[in-house]
């Protein structure tokens, strides 16, 4: 390797590395999977490194990296399909006592730890790591958009690109890009939450509610627990396609499918998708609490509106959570 090649590699790393986190957020929105997003960011940087010698600077390096990342994501979507949530696939179940059956063959949407996408206030990546554009409902809604509409909406509304820039990336006319954006916005208005409905993480009332939620779950007070939910709250739990509406139904579901004893469950607070979350551990026969599920909550001033419960325990490592909990 020549000195000029080494200098070129060092130059690329110095200039490109600051965009890695925001590109990860971009790929996550496109794909709905933090694992896939990490793979695609690696692929993006590999392609960019190989082509860096031919980069002529006709656009900014950031724009160039986004172009490569977006094309990688479009290829992945074509190969792997979309990642839904149960509530996006059909009507809710009306029989919470019936045994639920998992559908592991479905590539379900995954939550993302706030710590992975977080950024300092002075970081230019903040715009793409904001809570509003990584919330589960928003990312789930994106999964229902055709790939080109998904790209245009993210580039225009999240990254604040110009219509002509989005059109150039996709190889379409500016008029077509504007039309795709209008259709995408119309779709999102039907399924995505209004930003002013969800309580901000800094709200002191939210902390009190979350503390009560954890305490009631750990003490197996399911009746008291569901009082924290709105009357029409939603409970869904990939990889089970069944989902449920109504706090009374949710109470019946927990009692029928889990029926915990006091001390059987322990909750560790975390954060995902700009929302409060808990890692739940369940006590095994040997008395050790091991990973059970990750719950991501949507909270308004009226209570919990949705619990998205993920049974993929491989996510615990992604969240930096312990494999077992020490004895309390």
């Amino acid at each position: 390797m020549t000195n000029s090649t080494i200098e070129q590699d060092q130059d690329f790393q110095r200039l490109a590395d600051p965009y890695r986190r925001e590109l990860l957020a971009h790929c996550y929105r496109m794909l709905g999977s933090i694992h896939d997003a990490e793979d695609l960011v690696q692929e993006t940087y590999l392609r960019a490194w190989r082509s860096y010698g031919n980069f002529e600077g006709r656009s900014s390096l950031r724009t160039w990296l986004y172009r490569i990342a977006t094309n990688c994501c479009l290829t992945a979507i074509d190969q792997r399909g979309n990642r839904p949530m149960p509530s996006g696939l059909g009507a809710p179940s009306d029989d919470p006592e019936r045994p639920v059956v998992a559908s592991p063959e479905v590539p379900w949407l995954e939550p993302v730890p706030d710590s992975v996408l977080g950024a300092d206030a002075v970081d230019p990546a903040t715009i793409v790591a904001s809570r509003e554009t990584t919330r589960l409902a928003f990312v789930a809604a994106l999964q229902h958009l055709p790939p080109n509409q998904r790209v245009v909406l993210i580039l225009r509304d999240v990254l604040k690109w110009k219509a002509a820039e989005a059109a150039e990336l996709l190889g379409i006319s500016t008029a077509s890009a504007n039309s795709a954006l209008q259709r995408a916005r119309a779709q999102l208005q039907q399924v995505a939450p209004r930003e002013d409905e969800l309580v901000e993480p800094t709200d002191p009332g939210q902390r009190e509610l979350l503390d009560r939620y954890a305490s009631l779950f750990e003490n197996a007070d399911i009746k008291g627990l569901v009082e924290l939910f709105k009357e029409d709250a939603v409970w869904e739990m990939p990889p089970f396609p069944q989902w449920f509406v109504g706090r009374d139904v949710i109470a019946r579901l927990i009692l029928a499918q889990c029926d915990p004893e006091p001390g059987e469950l322990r909750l560790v607070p975390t954060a995902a998708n700009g929302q409060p979350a808990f890692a739940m551990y369940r006590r095994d026969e040997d008395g050790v609490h091991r990973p059970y599920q990750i719950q991501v909550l949507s909270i308004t001033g009226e209570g919990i509106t949705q619990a998205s419960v993920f049974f993929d325990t491989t996510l615990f490592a992604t969240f930096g959570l312990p494999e077992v909990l020490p004895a309390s």
Side-chain angles (χ1 to χ4, degrees), residues 118-318:
D120 296 332
V122 296
D123 190 335
T126 299
I127 190 172
V128 296
S130 64
R131 289 187 295 271
E132 291 77 10
T133 57
T134 53
R135 283 174 176 158
L136 274 176
F138 180 80
V139 178
L142 290 176
Q143 298 298 300
H144 292 281
L145 298 178
N148 277 13
Q149 289 185 28
R150 195 182 312 177
V151 172
V152 170
L153 186 134
I154 292 173
L155 294 181
R156 295 294 315 282
D157 286 357
V158 178
L159 300 175
K160 307 305 180 184
W161 284 29
K162 297 177 181 178
E165 294 174 319
E168 181 184 1
L169 186 149
L170 289 170
I172 59 178
S173 68
T174 301
S176 296
N178 285 330
S179 177
L181 179 61
Q182 291 176 357
R183 294 194 300 272
R185 284 173 174 171
Q187 171 75 3
L188 284 192
Q189 285 181 352
Q190 299 177 14
V191 294
R194 290 172 50 190
E195 293 179 8
D196 59 353
E197 288 182 344
L198 298 183
V199 174
E200 290 300 311
T202 54
D203 187 283
Q206 185 190 97
R207 184 70 265 162
E208 180 183 355
L209 183 148
L210 293 172
D211 288 344
R212 290 174 59 200
Y213 182 88
S215 176
L216 290 166
F217 235 132
E218 292 178 343
N219 288 292
D221 184 352
I222 306 307
K223 181 179 179 180
L225 176 78
V226 297
E227 290 299 317
L228 303 179
F229 286 79
K230 284 189 64 179
E231 186 65 39
D232 59 350
V234 170
W235 182 284
E236 55 186 337
M237 45 188 189
F240 302 97
Q242 300 86 0
W243 60 288
F244 305 86
V245 176
R247 61 187 181 196
D248 292 339
V249 173
I250 292 171
R252 289 165 55 196
L253 173 75
I254 296 173
L255 290 172
Q257 309 293 344
C258 182
D259 193 17
E261 299 176 352
E264 181 179 348
L265 302 174
R266 291 176 62 187
L267 278 68
V268 175
T270 184
N273 297 79
Q275 299 170 231
F278 286 101
M280 179 179 284
Y281 291 77
R282 191 171 189 177
R283 186 176 58 212
D284 280 347
E285 294 180 357
D286 60 3
V288 177
H289 284 84
R290 292 185 170 85
Y292 183 46
Q293 57 186 226
I294 288 179
Q295 301 183 357
V296 183
L297 304 179
S298 299
I299 302 174
T300 70
E302 299 177 337
I304 299 170
T305 61
Q306 185 154 344
S308 300
V309 180
F310 299 87
F311 279 83
D312 180 3
T313 55
T314 65
L315 290 168
F316 277 64
T318 302

